[in-house]
Amino acid sequence: MAVEALRTRAEQAIAEQFSAALDALPGNAAVKSARQQAWASYAAAGLPHRRVEEWKYTDLRALLAEAYPPAPVVGEAVTPQAIDKALGAAMAGIDCQRLVIVDGKFRPELSDMSGFADRVEVLALTDALNAPPSWLPKLLGKVNPQESDPVAALNMAFLSGGIALRVADKVSLTKPVHIVHVHAANAPASLATRSVVSVGEGASLTLVESFVSASGKPLQRTAVTELSLGKDAGVEHVKFQNESSGAAHLGNWMVEIGEEARYRGFQLSAGSALARSQIFVRFAGEGALSHVSGTVLARGKQHSDTTMVIDHAVPGCESREHTKAVLDGDARVVIQCKAIVRPDAQKSDGHQMAQALLLSEAAEFDSKPELEIYADDVACGHGSTAGQIDEDLLFYLRARGISETEARALLVLAFASEAIDRVEHEAIRGALAEVTAGWLGTE
């Protein structure tokens, strides 16, 4: 006799919320069908737990005690000043074209789309789900899809807002495009937001995604970015996650890289009580490059998980992954990275490194590097290190008249900056370094 698995209180609430919300969620018949398929995929297993290998360090059944109701369709009133305050002076000061999304709703009146003209198409995803442009159905839910991933499935099932962005062939944008996700709901809420981004053949884009809180209310967010790079395209992709201490942030990057395209990604995670950032990169054309790096800043009882899967599906591609983590208090940081080299993907070149600096004996760092190789002509490797501040270096600085507090902060900043320095855009790199310095208290 089959025994049905017991659902947690959060899982029961999620099921009830989906049943109640389905008919009101935006989208045409095809989108509604995709929602139901996504829900069936999620419901078959429920929230992932420690017996699921990819989630053994981040047990959502244990970490999510309850499920908050979906945020209202109409977001709270938010001023540009409140957005700047939520971003912080460093990130708010970047010279960019800002696209603002408040509680899932795209807000053109708070955004800057000057100069886009017919070179860049920007659509509120809420509207595009009902009347999609011809290019959107080819990408929505289809960019490097992860059918068994619960975050992607929950996001698709509850998807209510976000943005669709298309950069035309041969277009090179001079300013970064900054998508700012602001949580402003005045009560505990959940959000399912998505950015669908298409970068055409030979085009280039610097894309920044920020997730910040203008309210201190608890939040549960699933956030998916689907990013497709055409042949010979170039993208620098940066994520800044600094939501409130009452937030749970579950994010996915789903990236597909075309022939000879160049992709550079960076994530700075400093906020949320619980954060899991999944990065799925697939090479779809030969001769492509992917460099993904990141810095995780965690203190108190924060739990942060960065999980990457790099899929070398075609020959002759290069991947690099380098993540730095700074832990204090009782924080726990997880870094998992798997590189898959398919049988036909000869001449693949892939290397990964995870490094942690522990400022407290109570902090915990879990690292799980993996190589899954089915080809024989490859150059692949991985490594992981964890340690404390070097006392010799500390003594060196103190011997030159620098206080112990400042000396420690300088050493930590130098450690974290190794990853930040991989960001090519100078203003963005400077802003991220300033945020890190502020976290350390050295501004």
Side-chain angles (χ1 to χ4, degrees):
M1 180 179 64
V3 178
E4 184 178 352
L6 293 176
R7 291 182 175 181
T8 65
R9 184 172 67 178
E11 289 174 319
Q12 292 173 354
I14 291 170
E16 293 167 2
Q17 291 164 7
F18 179 73
S19 179
L22 179 59
D23 291 337
L25 288 168
N28 56 23
V31 172
K32 185 172 182 178
S33 175
R35 290 186 189 280
Q36 292 171 323
Q37 291 176 26
W39 175 256
S41 174
Y42 159 77
L47 291 173
H49 47 82
R50 60 187 176 84
R51 289 186 296 276
V52 178
E53 181 64 25
E54 296 85 352
W55 290 83
K56 71 176 185 178
Y57 300 115
T58 304
D59 186 339
L60 287 190
R61 282 190 182 171
L63 292 169
L64 294 181
E66 57 184 315
Y68 302 137
V73 175
V74 179
E76 301 290 331
V78 176
T79 64
Q81 293 76 19
I83 296 171
D84 286 350
K85 182 179 179 181
L87 282 169
M91 295 301 293
I94 298 171
D95 184 18
C96 62
Q97 296 196 264
R98 187 183 290 183
L99 305 175
V100 177
I101 300 169
V102 180
D103 291 334
K105 183 176 176 60
F106 177 49
R107 301 286 291 275
E109 75 278 11
L110 297 172
S111 304
D112 174 19
M113 292 178 281
S114 59
F116 281 176
D118 58 351
R119 305 185 309 155
V120 179
E121 185 176 359
V122 178
L123 300 168
L125 196 58
T126 307
D127 299 328
L129 292 175
N130 292 313
S134 59
W135 59 272
L136 185 60
K138 301 173 185 177
L139 299 182
L140 181 63
K142 298 174 183 176
V143 178
N144 192 12
Q146 305 295 316
E147 289 86 356
S148 62
D149 179 64
V151 176
L154 275 176
N155 180 271
M156 189 66 223
F158 283 93
L159 181 60
S160 60
I163 202 162
L165 174 70
R166 184 177 70 89
V167 181
D169 293 349
K170 311 298 182 185
V171 169
S172 295
L173 297 181
T174 57
K175 287 186 178 182
V177 174
H178 190 176
I179 302 175
V180 182
H181 291 265
V182 183
H183 168 232
N186 58 14
S190 64
L191 284 168
T193 54
R194 184 173 292 226
S195 299
V196 184
V197 182
S198 173
V199 182
E201 183 175 327
S204 64
L205 168 69
T206 298
L207 176 66
V208 182
E209 295 183 276
S210 290
F211 296 84
V212 294
S213 296
S215 104
K217 299 299 181 181
L219 169 70
Q220 293 171 344
R221 181 195 291 275
T222 62
V224 170
T225 299
E226 295 185 272
L227 175 56
S228 173
L229 283 72
K231 180 180 178 181
D232 200 34
V235 171
E236 180 157 38
H237 188 191
V238 174
K239 177 179 177 179
F240 172 55
Q241 190 280 115
N242 196 28
E243 289 176 314
S244 70
S245 59
H249 180 101
L250 305 176
N252 276 14
W253 277 1
M254 327 276 262
V255 182
E256 193 159 277
I257 307 175
E259 182 182 351
E260 299 290 340
R262 301 160 308 285
Y263 174 74
R264 295 183 181 274
F266 177 87
Q267 296 194 356
L268 175 60
S269 180
S272 300
L274 165 64
R276 170 144 168 148
S277 293
Q278 300 187 129
I279 303 169
F280 300 100
V281 176
R282 180 178 181 273
F283 291 107
E286 296 184 27
L289 173 147
S290 168
H291 286 195
V292 179
S293 55
T295 299
V296 179
L297 307 173
R299 56 161 58 107
K301 294 186 179 297
Q302 283 181 287
H303 180 111
S304 182
D305 180 338
T306 300
T307 293
M308 291 179 264
V309 179
I310 313 299
D311 188 350
H312 286 259
V314 295
C317 295
E318 175 183 300
S319 68
R320 296 288 186 273
E321 298 80 48
H322 192 183
T323 306
K324 295 267 191 170
V326 180
L327 299 80
D328 204 354
D330 295 315
R332 184 181 188 184
V333 170
V334 179
I335 298 176
Q336 303 182 102
C337 186
K338 175 190 284 189
I340 303 171
V341 181
R342 305 290 178 181
D344 294 331
Q346 304 293 346
K347 304 295 183 183
S348 291
D349 183 352
H351 294 270
Q352 54 185 264
M353 174 62 75
Q355 296 175 295
L357 182 62
L358 283 72
L359 306 181
S360 163
E361 292 185 359
E364 179 179 340
F365 173 60
D366 299 294
S367 179
K368 185 185 176 189
E370 293 181 82
L371 296 174
E372 193 173 307
I373 301 173
Y374 301 99
D376 52 14
D377 188 5
V378 302
C380 294
H382 60 66
S384 181
T385 65
Q388 298 175 319
I389 288 178
D390 189 319
E391 294 296 329
D392 291 338
L393 292 177
L394 186 63
F395 176 81
Y396 177 87
L397 293 174
R398 294 199 65 195
R400 281 148 182 79
I402 300 173
S403 70
E404 181 175 356
T405 299
E406 186 177 0
R408 287 183 178 276
L410 287 172
L411 291 173
V412 174
L413 183 59
F415 171 83
S417 294
E418 284 187 61
I420 296 172
D421 287 345
R422 295 171 184 267
V423 175
E424 294 188 334
H425 192 284
E426 183 177 359
I428 297 172
R429 184 173 66 247
L432 295 169
E434 189 174 333
V435 169
T436 303
W439 185 87
L440 295 168
T442 60
E443 285 185 320

